Amino acid sequence: MPKGVAASPGIAIGKAYILEKENLCILEYKIKQEEVEREIKRFKKAVEESKKQILEIKDKVSKEIGKQEAYIFQSYLNILEDPLLIDGTIEKIKNSRLNAEAALRATYKSFPEKFKAIQSEFIKERFRDVEDVAQRILQNLLEQPTMSLSHLEEKIIIVAYDLAPSDTVSIDKDKVLGFATDVGGRTSHTAIMARALEIPAVVGLRDITKKVKPGSTIIVDGNSGKVIINPTPRQIERYKEKKRKFLIYKKSLENLKSLPPKTIDGREIELAANIAGPEEVDLAMRDGAEGVGLYRTEYLYMNRSSLPSEEEQLEAYRAVVEKVAPYSVIIRTLDLGGDKFLSHFPVPREINPFMGCRAIRLSLELVEVFKTQLRAILRAAMYGKVKVMYPMISALEEVRKANRILSEVKEELKREGLSFSDSVDIGVMIEVPSAAVMADILAREVDFFSLGTNDLIQYTLAVDRVNEKVAHLYQPLHPTILRLIDNVVKAAHREGIWVGACGEMASDPLGVSVLLGLGVDELSVAPTSILEIKKVIRELNWEETQKIVSHLLNLGTSKQVKRYLDSRIGKKIRKILQGGE
Ligand code: PEP
Ligand code: MG
């Protein structure tokens, strides 16, 4: 049974529609010197035409789906201005005397080779955007109409290599039951759009387009990431039942939107959302998020070939801040490095990037880049409530250094007469063991902590979070992790500051019960998990979780922790979640 990434929850049962990208027939031929100008003109016209079309799509999305979803198309417009693609093609026409189609193809096809060293899933996904844009320019050069999914006759499940935003936008929501794609991950556009459209989706299935025959029946389980091809009547019945239960469960969650995330015995937890860009804010706020607990700003730097300017960052942060007000937005400063790289950034390659010059270390080295971001954040803070958070702090000096730069930035803004907020709270991510152990000292320097459990687990247990080979050693419930968190929470509370958790552990029901018991004050989770986690919080008894945790802190292995948790709370959690499954 093919298994991929569960990208958008829900279950779809229906006929597969294999979406094939037209294979454009591109001829390659040499042009004469006197034809060069004409060819460049033809290319520029196709680029202009593409811009017009994308602007139209952007408007349509903005009106019919939402302003934030339309944001994706801004990156398409940026690609159409990208010197690497546009000037690169023009140079090729001139220097190699190639026809425009062949020059464009040669230019964008050389990108993967150029970026080969980059492991980032995000960059790979952005390359698919470049391909989509290039395809559109080619279609305009060849004067071929673009494909549309708006005239589907019957209800179907789309099976595709990948869905470009320009494909998803033309989708008739009543006809498309689900998506299944070969490529894509958590942050792929297909995943984001599927969630915005509330269509079940599984992405990253590798070769689903080869396995499914057009018209055959398939089941897409967006909850577990499974896809069943040609299911038996019994499987269909079972999944119909699952679907029925899921819809009842989803409906029941809706009632929670305006209820507080409070335990049975009255402990109120702040429940916020993790976002990677403005496009995720609407869903989070609709489901009752009390602010943004983690804004991963690095994505703003990633879908492009140059750094975002201060004004551009200001605009992006302001969009989020205004939407989220009166709640606060925790803007995490640039967390590049590790598995997140930029194609155009002057960062030397390292043997061990997760341990190298990443996150705050990089910002402290590239002070001007850091300052530009801090300026934009402080200016955006005028439009609502903003907190700043430094990633991957591993030593006290880093906090002090970052704060010194922040003070300099404030002075500069003052001198320039620009309006900004002088009173943003400063926090740090606790995601490196040294920071967790030093929490008592760090707590005196900042206003809050947020536990980045994804990295904290990786660094504490020495288990690469992206290496499948050691995935079995990646144990969020390892006793050491619980002890570290216990130390952090106690130290923070002694110093009178609050502690949140924004790693994946906060989106896991069992993890939530442990975090609550350890005394965490805030949880920040993926927008799609807000309601589920709220449900879990509302059915837990805080005092009981504290008692459970005090026992867990004396255990020696993850297995023992899991077994004890299961015996005390497993049944309850399973019952809370969808139909006892
Ligand atoms: C974490 O490390 O837990 C975290 C939230 O940050 P990221 O996943 O972006 O590294
Ligand atoms: Mg992290």
Side-chain angles (χ1 to χ4, degrees), residues 96-108:
S96 309
R97 281 212 257 116
L98 273 181
N99 60 314
E101 292 87 347
L104 172 62
R105 185 179 54 184
T107 307
Y108 83 83

Side-chain angles (χ1 to χ4, degrees), residues 10-20 149 152-161 163 171-181 199-203 205 208-209 212-222 226-231 236 239 243:
I11 287 161
I13 307 170
K15 257 190 200 168
Y17 176 95
I18 317 283
L19 185 67
E20 310 230 28
L149 284 169
L152 294 166
E153 307 262 295
E154 51 179 346
K155 293 194 173 185
I156 46 117
I157 292 175
I158 294 179
V159 177
Y161 173 73
L163 283 167
I171 270 169
D172 179 347
K173 231 187 112 175
D174 296 329
K175 296 279 167 58
V176 177
L177 303 170
F179 299 141
T181 63
I199 293 175
V202 177
V203 301
L205 286 150
I208 192 75
T209 46
V212 178
K213 297 255 173 330
S216 56
T217 302
I218 62 166
I219 297 174
V220 169
D221 183 348
K226 284 182 201 150
V227 169
I228 303 175
I229 304 165
N230 296 323
I236 293 182
Y239 272 87
K243 183 174 172 174

Side-chain angles (χ1 to χ4, degrees), residues 159-298:
V159 177
Y161 173 73
D162 188 20
L163 283 167
S166 47
D167 296 332
T168 32
V169 72
S170 55
I171 270 169
D172 179 347
K173 231 187 112 175
D174 296 329
K175 296 279 167 58
V176 177
L177 303 170
F179 299 141
T181 63
D182 288 342
V183 297
R186 215 162 48 95
T187 56
S188 66
H189 287 152
T190 310
I192 293 171
M193 288 302 263
R195 285 196 291 270
L197 293 163
E198 294 182 273
I199 293 175
V202 177
V203 301
L205 286 150
R206 286 184 287 277
D207 52 359
I208 192 75
T209 46
K210 292 203 183 79
K211 286 187 172 149
V212 178
K213 297 255 173 330
S216 56
T217 302
I218 62 166
I219 297 174
V220 169
D221 183 348
N223 300 329
S224 68
K226 284 182 201 150
V227 169
I228 303 175
I229 304 165
N230 296 323
T232 61
R234 259 189 73 194
Q235 280 174 317
I236 293 182
E237 276 320 304
R238 204 152 58 83
Y239 272 87
K240 273 191 180 159
E241 183 55 17
K242 275 193 183 204
K243 183 174 172 174
R244 197 182 63 81
K245 278 189 183 164
F246 176 73
L247 292 176
I248 294 171
Y249 173 67
K250 218 176 136 195
K251 198 95 211 118
S252 76
L253 288 181
E254 302 219 331
N255 302 329
L256 296 172
K257 280 180 187 168
S258 52
L259 295 177
K262 196 193 258 183
T263 62
I264 294 172
D265 53 341
R267 157 93 168 149
E268 192 150 351
I269 303 295
E270 224 176 291
L271 185 57
N274 292 347
I275 61 161
E279 65 275 3
E280 290 184 275
V281 177
D282 280 346
L283 173 64
M285 299 316 283
R286 192 196 68 190
D287 280 357
E290 297 167 308
V292 167
L294 169 64
Y295 181 175
R296 292 182 160 106
T297 57
E298 47 280 5

Side-chain angles (χ1 to χ4, degrees), residues 274 294 296 298 332 335 340 358 429 431 451-456 465 502-504:
N274 292 347
L294 169 64
R296 292 182 160 106
E298 47 280 5
R332 179 175 73 181
D335 186 14
K340 295 179 270 195
R358 72 165 275 218
M429 297 220 33
E431 50 184 350
L451 291 151
T453 52
N454 305 341
D455 278 317
L456 187 63
R465 68 191 254 196
C502 60
E504 291 302 310

